[in-house]
Amino acid sequence: MNLNQYLDIAPEIRSAVAGGKPVVALESTILSHGMPYPENLAFAARVERVIRDEGAVPATMAIIDGRMKAGLTEAELERMCKAEGVAKVSRRDLPILLAQGGTGATTVASTMILASFAGIRIFATGGIGGVHRGAQQTMDISADLQELAHTPVAVVCAGAKMILDIGLTLEYLETMGVPVLGLGTDDFPSFYCRKSGFGVDCNAKTPADAARVAKAKWDLGLAGGLLIGNPVPEEYAMDFDEMTAVIDRALAAAKQAGVRGKDTTPFLLAHIVEYTGGRSLATNIELACHNAQMAARIAVEYAKL
Ligand code: PSU
Ligand code: MN
Protein backbone atom coordinates (compact mmCIF):
# COMPACT_ATOMS: atom_id res chain seq x y z
CA MET A 1 0.00 0.00 0.00
CA ASN A 2 1.25 3.45 -0.88
CA LEU A 3 0.55 5.72 2.08
CA ASN A 4 0.78 8.80 -0.13
CA GLN A 5 -2.57 7.73 -1.49
CA TYR A 6 -4.07 8.90 1.83
CA LEU A 7 -1.46 10.99 3.67
CA ASP A 8 0.01 14.47 3.10
CA ILE A 9 3.10 15.32 5.15
CA ALA A 10 4.18 18.98 5.16
CA PRO A 11 7.61 19.32 3.47
CA GLU A 12 9.23 20.77 6.60
CA ILE A 13 8.06 17.79 8.64
CA ARG A 14 9.05 15.26 6.02
CA SER A 15 12.60 16.60 5.83
CA ALA A 16 12.93 16.89 9.64
CA VAL A 17 11.90 13.24 10.06
CA ALA A 18 14.22 12.13 7.24
CA GLY A 19 17.09 14.03 8.87
CA GLY A 20 16.45 12.60 12.36
CA LYS A 21 15.53 16.05 13.69
CA PRO A 22 13.13 16.45 16.62
CA VAL A 23 9.44 16.61 15.68
CA VAL A 24 6.43 16.78 18.03
CA ALA A 25 2.96 15.64 16.97
CA LEU A 26 -0.13 17.55 18.15
CA GLU A 27 -3.79 16.50 18.06
CA SER A 28 -6.73 18.50 16.71
CA THR A 29 -9.63 17.18 18.84
CA ILE A 30 -8.31 19.36 21.66
CA LEU A 31 -8.97 22.29 19.25
CA SER A 32 -12.27 21.28 17.64
CA HIS A 33 -13.97 19.53 20.55
CA GLY A 34 -11.93 20.47 23.62
CA MET A 35 -11.80 24.28 23.60
CA PRO A 36 -14.09 27.11 22.48
CA TYR A 37 -13.39 29.42 19.50
CA PRO A 38 -11.46 31.76 19.26
CA GLU A 39 -9.37 30.80 22.33
CA ASN A 40 -8.49 27.54 20.56
CA LEU A 41 -7.04 29.44 17.57
CA ALA A 42 -4.68 31.50 19.73
CA PHE A 43 -3.74 28.31 21.56
CA ALA A 44 -3.03 26.44 18.30
CA ALA A 45 -0.56 29.11 17.20
CA ARG A 46 1.04 29.40 20.62
CA VAL A 47 1.58 25.69 21.13
CA GLU A 48 3.34 25.40 17.78
CA ARG A 49 5.57 28.35 18.70
CA VAL A 50 6.49 26.77 22.05
CA ILE A 51 7.73 23.67 20.21
CA ARG A 52 9.75 25.73 17.74
CA ASP A 53 11.32 27.73 20.57
CA GLU A 54 12.74 24.44 21.91
CA GLY A 55 14.26 23.59 18.53
CA ALA A 56 11.68 21.04 17.38
CA VAL A 57 9.15 21.04 14.53
CA PRO A 58 5.41 20.90 15.35
CA ALA A 59 3.14 18.56 13.40
CA THR A 60 -0.57 19.12 14.03
CA MET A 61 -2.66 16.22 12.70
CA ALA A 62 -6.14 16.25 11.15
CA ILE A 63 -8.29 14.71 8.42
CA ILE A 64 -9.20 17.29 5.80
CA ASP A 65 -11.47 16.53 2.82
CA GLY A 66 -10.68 12.85 3.09
CA ARG A 67 -6.88 13.22 3.40
CA MET A 68 -4.74 12.55 6.46
CA LYS A 69 -2.61 15.63 7.18
CA ALA A 70 0.62 15.81 9.16
CA GLY A 71 1.19 19.56 9.52
CA LEU A 72 -1.57 22.10 8.93
CA THR A 73 -1.55 25.47 7.18
CA GLU A 74 -2.93 28.49 9.04
CA ALA A 75 -6.18 28.23 7.08
CA GLU A 76 -6.48 24.55 7.98
CA LEU A 77 -5.85 25.29 11.67
CA GLU A 78 -8.57 27.91 11.53
CA ARG A 79 -10.95 25.41 9.96
CA MET A 80 -10.26 22.92 12.77
CA CYS A 81 -10.83 25.65 15.38
CA LYS A 82 -14.11 26.86 13.88
CA ALA A 83 -15.07 23.18 13.89
CA GLU A 84 -18.04 23.51 11.52
CA GLY A 85 -18.79 20.05 10.17
CA VAL A 86 -15.62 18.74 11.80
CA ALA A 87 -16.12 15.19 13.11
CA LYS A 88 -14.25 13.65 16.05
CA VAL A 89 -12.07 10.94 14.57
CA SER A 90 -10.69 8.06 16.55
CA ARG A 91 -9.23 4.79 15.15
CA ARG A 92 -12.58 3.32 14.15
CA ASP A 93 -13.68 6.48 12.28
CA LEU A 94 -10.49 6.94 10.25
CA PRO A 95 -11.25 4.67 7.26
CA ILE A 96 -14.81 6.00 7.02
CA LEU A 97 -13.65 9.63 6.75
CA LEU A 98 -11.00 8.76 4.18
CA ALA A 99 -13.46 6.78 2.07
CA GLN A 100 -16.15 9.47 2.24
CA GLY A 101 -13.93 12.56 1.87
CA GLY A 102 -14.84 13.84 5.33
CA THR A 103 -13.14 16.35 7.61
CA GLY A 104 -12.34 15.55 11.21
CA ALA A 105 -10.21 16.29 14.21
CA THR A 106 -7.89 13.58 15.49
CA THR A 107 -8.03 12.24 19.05
CA VAL A 108 -5.01 10.93 20.93
CA ALA A 109 -5.56 7.51 19.32
CA SER A 110 -5.79 8.70 15.71
CA THR A 111 -3.04 11.30 16.20
CA MET A 112 -0.76 8.45 17.31
CA ILE A 113 -1.68 6.55 14.14
CA LEU A 114 -0.89 9.53 11.88
CA ALA A 115 2.30 10.29 13.81
CA SER A 116 3.48 6.74 13.38
CA PHE A 117 2.68 6.82 9.63
CA ALA A 118 4.74 10.03 9.40
CA GLY A 119 7.66 8.60 11.42
CA ILE A 120 7.08 10.81 14.48
CA ARG A 121 7.67 9.29 17.93
CA ILE A 122 6.80 12.06 20.40
CA PHE A 123 3.35 13.64 20.84
CA ALA A 124 2.07 16.35 23.19
CA THR A 125 -1.55 16.61 24.25
CA GLY A 126 -3.62 17.94 27.17
CA GLY A 127 -5.24 14.92 28.75
CA ILE A 128 -5.80 11.40 27.45
CA GLY A 129 -8.98 9.42 27.25
CA GLY A 130 -9.26 6.45 29.59
CA VAL A 131 -11.58 4.21 31.55
CA HIS A 132 -14.68 6.25 32.39
CA ARG A 133 -16.21 6.22 35.81
CA GLY A 134 -18.95 3.60 35.77
CA ALA A 135 -17.28 1.69 32.92
CA GLN A 136 -18.18 -1.51 34.78
CA GLN A 137 -21.69 -0.85 33.41
CA THR A 138 -21.15 1.28 30.28
CA MET A 139 -17.91 -0.34 29.01
CA ASP A 140 -16.84 3.19 28.03
CA ILE A 141 -13.08 2.83 27.68
CA SER A 142 -11.31 5.25 25.35
CA ALA A 143 -9.61 3.83 22.26
CA ASP A 144 -6.62 5.95 23.34
CA LEU A 145 -5.60 3.17 25.75
CA GLN A 146 -5.57 0.44 23.09
CA GLU A 147 -3.57 2.74 20.85
CA LEU A 148 -0.92 3.14 23.55
CA ALA A 149 -0.75 -0.66 23.66
CA HIS A 150 -0.06 -0.99 19.93
CA THR A 151 1.39 2.15 18.36
CA PRO A 152 4.97 3.30 19.02
CA VAL A 153 4.47 6.90 20.13
CA ALA A 154 5.31 8.51 23.49
CA VAL A 155 2.41 10.70 24.64
CA VAL A 156 3.13 13.61 26.96
CA CYS A 157 0.00 14.63 28.87
CA ALA A 158 -1.02 16.33 32.11
CA GLY A 159 -2.47 13.02 33.28
CA ALA A 160 -6.13 12.11 33.12
CA LYS A 161 -9.11 14.16 34.19
CA MET A 162 -11.18 13.00 37.10
CA ILE A 163 -14.08 12.51 34.66
CA LEU A 164 -12.24 9.18 34.31
CA ASP A 165 -11.56 6.44 36.82
CA ILE A 166 -7.83 7.10 37.10
CA GLY A 167 -7.12 3.93 39.09
CA LEU A 168 -8.80 1.71 36.49
CA THR A 169 -7.13 3.64 33.66
CA LEU A 170 -3.72 2.85 35.15
CA GLU A 171 -4.72 -0.82 35.71
CA TYR A 172 -5.70 -1.05 32.05
CA LEU A 173 -2.36 0.43 30.95
CA GLU A 174 -0.52 -2.05 33.16
CA THR A 175 -2.40 -4.96 31.58
CA MET A 176 -1.56 -3.61 28.12
CA GLY A 177 2.13 -3.25 28.98
CA VAL A 178 2.30 0.52 28.65
CA PRO A 179 4.98 2.19 30.81
CA VAL A 180 3.62 5.21 32.70
CA LEU A 181 6.24 7.81 33.56
CA GLY A 182 5.99 10.94 35.66
CA LEU A 183 8.11 13.93 34.72
CA GLY A 184 9.70 14.86 38.01
CA THR A 185 6.85 13.26 39.95
CA ASP A 186 6.02 9.95 41.64
CA ASP A 187 2.30 10.70 41.41
CA PHE A 188 0.31 10.46 38.17
CA PRO A 189 -1.16 13.94 37.63
CA SER A 190 -4.91 14.56 37.33
CA PHE A 191 -4.92 17.31 34.66
CA TYR A 192 -6.13 20.38 36.62
CA CYS A 193 -4.27 19.16 39.70
CA ARG A 194 -0.69 18.02 40.12
CA LYS A 195 -1.58 14.76 41.84
CA SER A 196 -4.13 11.96 41.60
CA GLY A 197 -3.04 9.82 44.53
CA PHE A 198 -1.96 7.06 42.11
CA GLY A 199 1.71 6.31 41.52
CA VAL A 200 3.65 6.14 38.24
CA ASP A 201 5.97 3.31 37.18
CA CYS A 202 9.00 5.58 36.98
CA ASN A 203 9.84 9.13 37.99
CA ALA A 204 11.73 10.51 34.97
CA LYS A 205 13.66 13.39 36.49
CA THR A 206 14.71 14.89 33.16
CA PRO A 207 13.51 14.81 29.53
CA ALA A 208 16.63 12.75 28.76
CA ASP A 209 15.54 10.11 31.31
CA ALA A 210 12.18 9.82 29.56
CA ALA A 211 13.82 9.64 26.12
CA ARG A 212 16.06 6.78 27.29
CA VAL A 213 13.10 4.72 28.50
CA ALA A 214 11.38 5.22 25.13
CA LYS A 215 14.52 4.23 23.25
CA ALA A 216 15.02 1.10 25.36
CA LYS A 217 11.42 0.03 24.77
CA TRP A 218 11.65 0.45 21.02
CA ASP A 219 15.18 -0.98 20.74
CA LEU A 220 13.72 -4.16 22.21
CA GLY A 221 11.01 -4.18 19.58
CA LEU A 222 8.28 -4.00 22.22
CA ALA A 223 5.08 -2.89 20.52
CA GLY A 224 3.21 0.18 21.66
CA GLY A 225 3.90 3.54 23.24
CA LEU A 226 4.55 5.20 26.55
CA LEU A 227 2.52 7.58 28.64
CA ILE A 228 4.37 10.48 30.21
CA GLY A 229 2.54 12.49 32.87
CA ASN A 230 3.66 16.09 33.23
CA PRO A 231 2.02 17.95 36.14
CA VAL A 232 0.37 21.33 35.47
CA PRO A 233 2.69 24.17 36.61
CA GLU A 234 2.00 24.99 40.26
CA GLU A 235 0.78 28.53 39.55
CA TYR A 236 -1.99 27.25 37.23
CA ALA A 237 -3.07 24.22 39.27
CA MET A 238 -6.68 24.22 40.49
CA ASP A 239 -8.07 23.24 43.84
CA PHE A 240 -8.63 19.48 44.08
CA ASP A 241 -11.86 19.70 46.10
CA GLU A 242 -13.32 22.40 43.85
CA MET A 243 -12.60 20.35 40.72
CA THR A 244 -14.00 17.18 42.30
CA ALA A 245 -17.29 19.02 42.86
CA VAL A 246 -17.29 20.56 39.36
CA ILE A 247 -16.64 17.19 37.73
CA ASP A 248 -19.37 15.47 39.77
CA ARG A 249 -21.76 18.17 38.57
CA ALA A 250 -20.69 17.69 34.94
CA LEU A 251 -21.12 13.91 35.25
CA ALA A 252 -24.61 14.39 36.68
CA ALA A 253 -25.51 16.73 33.78
CA ALA A 254 -24.26 14.15 31.26
CA LYS A 255 -26.36 11.44 32.90
CA GLN A 256 -29.42 13.69 32.92
CA ALA A 257 -28.93 14.56 29.24
CA GLY A 258 -28.44 10.89 28.35
CA VAL A 259 -25.10 11.58 26.63
CA ARG A 260 -23.32 8.45 25.38
CA GLY A 261 -20.35 7.23 23.37
CA LYS A 262 -18.00 9.64 21.64
CA ASP A 263 -20.06 12.68 22.73
CA THR A 264 -19.38 12.02 26.41
CA THR A 265 -15.88 13.51 26.68
CA PRO A 266 -16.63 16.74 24.69
CA PHE A 267 -19.85 17.22 26.72
CA LEU A 268 -18.00 16.93 30.02
CA LEU A 269 -15.16 19.24 28.88
CA ALA A 270 -17.58 21.98 27.79
CA HIS A 271 -19.53 21.80 31.05
CA ILE A 272 -16.38 21.97 33.16
CA VAL A 273 -15.37 25.18 31.34
CA GLU A 274 -18.85 26.60 31.93
CA TYR A 275 -18.99 25.70 35.63
CA THR A 276 -15.59 27.23 36.37
CA GLY A 277 -16.43 30.44 34.51
CA GLY A 278 -13.61 29.82 32.04
CA ARG A 279 -10.89 29.41 34.69
CA SER A 280 -10.44 25.78 33.75
CA LEU A 281 -9.85 26.86 30.14
CA ALA A 282 -6.91 29.04 31.18
CA THR A 283 -5.46 26.09 33.11
CA ASN A 284 -6.07 23.77 30.16
CA ILE A 285 -4.19 26.12 27.81
CA GLU A 286 -1.24 26.54 30.17
CA LEU A 287 -0.83 22.84 30.91
CA ALA A 288 -1.05 21.91 27.22
CA CYS A 289 1.65 24.47 26.34
CA HIS A 290 3.81 23.11 29.16
CA ASN A 291 3.32 19.58 27.79
CA ALA A 292 4.37 20.79 24.33
CA GLN A 293 7.52 22.32 25.79
CA MET A 294 8.48 19.15 27.64
CA ALA A 295 7.60 16.96 24.65
CA ALA A 296 9.90 19.11 22.50
CA ARG A 297 12.70 18.67 25.03
CA ILE A 298 12.14 14.90 25.06
CA ALA A 299 12.17 14.90 21.24
CA VAL A 300 15.44 16.86 21.25
CA GLU A 301 16.99 14.33 23.66
CA TYR A 302 15.57 11.37 21.76
CA ALA A 303 17.11 12.66 18.53
CA LYS A 304 20.55 12.56 20.19
CA LEU A 305 20.31 8.87 21.20
N1 PSU B 1 -9.39 14.71 27.58
C1 PSU B 1 -9.11 16.01 27.77
N2 PSU B 1 -9.13 16.85 26.70
C2 PSU B 1 -9.40 16.40 25.43
C3 PSU B 1 -9.67 15.01 25.25
C4 PSU B 1 -9.65 14.21 26.34
O1 PSU B 1 -8.86 16.39 28.88
O2 PSU B 1 -9.42 17.19 24.48
C5 PSU B 1 -9.92 14.50 23.87
C6 PSU B 1 -8.63 13.86 23.29
O3 PSU B 1 -8.61 14.07 21.90
C7 PSU B 1 -8.82 12.39 23.59
C8 PSU B 1 -10.30 12.25 23.37
O4 PSU B 1 -8.07 11.54 22.75
O5 PSU B 1 -10.88 13.44 23.91
C9 PSU B 1 -10.86 11.02 24.05
O6 PSU B 1 -12.17 10.86 23.67
P1 PSU B 1 -12.92 9.50 24.06
O7 PSU B 1 -13.03 9.56 25.57
O8 PSU B 1 -14.23 9.59 23.36
O9 PSU B 1 -12.06 8.39 23.57
MN1 MN C 1 -15.74 6.63 24.99
Side-chain angles (χ1 to χ4, degrees):
M1 196 265 306
N2 180 5
L3 258 180
N4 295 333
Q5 195 184 333
Y6 297 105
L7 172 66
D8 297 321
I9 305 177
E12 183 194 16
I13 294 165
R14 190 182 284 282
S15 72
V17 169
K21 303 262 165 49
V23 180
V24 175
L26 296 166
E27 61 156 304
S28 42
T29 290
I30 190 174
L31 304 175
S32 303
H33 307 289
M35 287 182 191
Y37 182 86
E39 286 88 345
N40 53 4
L41 190 57
F43 164 75
R46 181 175 155 201
V47 77
E48 292 207 352
R49 205 162 53 240
V50 165
I51 290 169
R52 289 189 189 282
D53 286 348
E54 296 292 333
V57 176
T60 303
M61 307 295 179
I63 314 300
I64 296 186
D65 300 329
R67 307 263 323 154
M68 296 188 289
K69 300 276 181 189
L72 303 187
T73 63
E74 256 175 63
E76 288 168 338
L77 275 178
E78 175 136 13
R79 191 163 162 194
M80 284 300 122
C81 290
K82 287 199 166 140
E84 279 159 30
V86 174
K88 175 179 163 189
V89 184
S90 192
R91 168 178 276 265
R92 65 141 189 221
D93 312 291
L94 194 52
I96 300 171
L97 264 89
L98 297 190
Q100 299 188 338
T103 293
T106 54
T107 62
V108 168
S110 53
T111 300
M112 289 176 73
I113 296 172
L114 269 62
S116 125
F117 284 157
I120 300 166
R121 295 292 190 143
I122 314 290
F123 163 22
T125 183
I128 57 153
V131 180
H132 278 262
R133 283 156 67 172
Q136 295 89 335
Q137 298 302 321
T138 62
M139 288 185 69
D140 189 351
I141 300 174
S142 175
D144 293 352
L145 300 184
Q146 272 301 303
E147 211 58 52
L148 282 160
H150 297 304
T151 303
V153 174
V155 179
V156 181
C157 69
K161 281 198 177 75
M162 288 175 293
I163 59 174
L164 303 174
D165 187 320
I166 297 179
L168 290 188
T169 299
L170 294 172
E171 288 291 349
Y172 194 102
L173 291 168
E174 179 187 353
T175 301
M176 292 296 148
V178 178
V180 178
L181 279 51
L183 271 183
T185 179
D186 295 317
D187 201 298
F188 189 67
S190 60
F191 200 82
Y192 300 115
C193 309
R194 291 174 60 82
K195 295 188 171 183
S196 66
F198 294 93
V200 294
D201 306 322
C202 162
N203 180 341
K205 301 219 163 46
T206 65
D209 285 348
R212 277 191 291 271
V213 177
K215 176 150 194 306
K217 170 159 183 165
W218 295 325
D219 277 350
L220 295 175
L222 296 177
L226 300 90
L227 187 61
I228 303 175
N230 179 38
V232 58
E234 190 80 61
E235 61 270 38
Y236 300 110
M238 298 183 77
D239 183 73
F240 190 89
D241 294 333
E242 181 198 358
M243 290 316 291
T244 302
V246 163
I247 283 164
D248 284 346
R249 201 176 148 203
L251 286 165
K255 194 167 181 189
Q256 171 112 43
V259 181
R260 287 179 59 247
K262 71 193 281 187
D263 297 330
T264 302
T265 297
F267 180 97
L268 294 171
L269 299 181
H271 280 72
I272 292 167
V273 171
E274 184 191 321
Y275 297 158
T276 59
R279 278 182 302 126
S280 69
L281 178 60
T283 294
N284 196 346
I285 288 169
E286 294 302 330
L287 68 80
C289 287
H290 189 228
N291 293 342
Q293 182 181 44
M294 298 314 275
R297 290 184 187 172
I298 293 167
V300 166
E301 294 301 328
Y302 185 79
K304 292 182 194 162
L305 297 174

